[in-house]
Amino acid sequence: MSFKKLQMRRGAKANLPTLSQGEFGFCTDTKELFIGNGSSNEKIANINDVNKVSSQTSKPKKSFNVTIPLSGWSSSAPYTQTVNVSGMVSDGLPLYDLQAYSKSALAELSKITKLETQNGKIVVTAQEKKPGANLNIRIEVMY
């Protein structure tokens, strides 16, 4: 079996077009990585994020069990929700996953496109479709 070469759009950020759904784009000047949804581009990483992950993997972390309720989503896309989380801080790096796996819960979790930590809360975003059920997640925040 031979391997196929995978290429993505790349160039200066000022020249980044609207990417097709699932298409990647790399900005060579800002070192940012984007993925398209067909109508806009979502930044998924930059070199500073990568450096932050590698520098924080050995740092202390704190865990939180959080329920993202079905009833708290905004009424239009992109859907957002703010959930109070006692002890959460804004300067950590969050990693999140389901507390208990099921096929349906995993499908609902896949609708989450962004999770941002703030002091005492999290802000969750679902770009196109919001979850159709409560989500019980575990968040590990590295400081």
Side-chain angles (χ1 to χ4, degrees):
M1 180 168 105
S2 64
F3 287 91
K4 301 290 182 186
K5 185 179 197 179
L6 174 68
Q7 291 187 305
M8 66 178 78
R9 291 184 186 254
R10 60 198 177 283
K13 186 174 183 177
N15 299 327
L16 183 67
T18 300
L19 301 167
S20 300
Q21 186 169 359
E23 181 181 20
F24 289 100
F26 180 71
C27 298
T28 54
D29 54 345
T30 62
K31 307 298 187 220
E32 294 171 300
L33 181 63
F34 289 84
I35 189 167
N37 64 22
S39 59
S40 66
N41 301 329
E42 292 289 322
K43 184 171 87 170
I44 56 175
N46 67 37
I47 194 65
N48 293 328
D49 294 336
V50 173
N51 289 339
K52 188 174 182 182
V53 169
S54 62
S55 71
Q56 293 206 14
T57 54
S58 62
K59 292 188 177 181
K61 58 187 168 186
K62 188 169 182 182
S63 297
F64 302 89
N65 290 323
V66 178
T67 297
I68 302 171
L70 172 63
S71 62
W73 292 101
S74 61
S75 59
S76 60
Y79 302 98
T80 59
Q81 181 171 172
T82 300
V83 180
N84 291 327
V85 181
S86 180
M88 184 63 69
V89 295
S90 63
D91 62 348
L93 177 67
L95 303 171
Y96 61 94
D97 203 353
L98 291 169
Q99 290 179 18
Y101 282 94
S102 72
K103 194 173 187 179
S104 60
L106 195 55
E108 297 304 319
L109 181 67
S110 71
K111 296 174 184 173
I112 302 295
T113 56
K114 182 178 179 183
L115 187 145
E116 176 188 357
T117 61
Q118 296 182 358
N119 290 330
K121 59 189 171 186
I122 59 170
V123 178
V124 185
T125 302
Q127 190 64 34
E128 294 182 16
K129 292 182 180 180
K130 58 186 171 184
N134 291 341
L135 284 175
N136 297 311
I137 64 171
R138 179 177 183 83
I139 304 171
E140 289 194 352
V141 182
M142 292 183 280
Y143 299 99

